[in-house]
Amino acid sequence: MKMNNPPRRFTPMTQFATSYPVLLIDSDAPIRELHNCISERLNAVLPYLSLMACTNLPDYAENDINTVANIAKILLQDVSDVFRVIEQRGFDVPNGCQPI
């Protein structure tokens, strides 16, 4: 059965290699779990990029640098996608109520 749109509960992640969303974010997941997901990715990619920033480029082949850039791009896009879900939930407040 082919779905044209995923259920509202699930938000598609940005796809780089597919035309159909295969990775979805559970928009109803607890905020703490969503935060843990993005924290894990940021804590993985930031030291990785810092290491690469301090590396002498002639030591590595151009293909290696492209691989590093692609890994960082995918992880940071995941972070951006989950942040979007958190923001949508965090800013969806009843009229008259302001977020703290």
Side-chain angles (χ1 to χ4, degrees), residues 37-51:
C37 175
I38 58 177
S39 178
E40 177 182 47
R41 282 159 175 75
L42 278 176
N43 288 328
V45 77
L46 290 176
Y48 186 56
L49 289 175
S50 293
L51 174 65

Side-chain angles (χ1 to χ4, degrees), residues 66-79:
N66 289 339
T67 299
V68 169
N70 282 329
I71 291 168
K73 175 182 162 186
I74 290 168
L75 289 172
L76 291 174
Q77 186 61 59
D78 286 357
V79 169

Side-chain angles (χ1 to χ4, degrees), residues 51-67:
L51 174 65
M52 295 311 298
C54 297
T55 300
N56 188 0
L57 293 180
D59 292 344
Y60 294 93
E62 182 179 331
N63 189 43
D64 294 336
I65 294 169
N66 289 339
T67 299

Side-chain angles (χ1 to χ4, degrees), residues 3-56:
M3 291 176 31
N4 291 335
N5 295 322
R8 268 186 109 154
R9 176 179 172 179
F10 298 99
T11 302
M13 295 182 77
T14 301
Q15 306 297 310
F16 296 112
T18 65
S19 58
Y20 184 84
V22 295
L23 297 175
L24 305 169
I25 302 165
D26 183 350
S27 299
D28 290 343
I31 293 289
R32 182 171 301 277
E33 296 301 322
L34 293 169
H35 177 269
N36 289 344
C37 175
I38 58 177
S39 178
E40 177 182 47
R41 282 159 175 75
L42 278 176
N43 288 328
V45 77
L46 290 176
Y48 186 56
L49 289 175
S50 293
L51 174 65
M52 295 311 298
C54 297
T55 300
N56 188 0

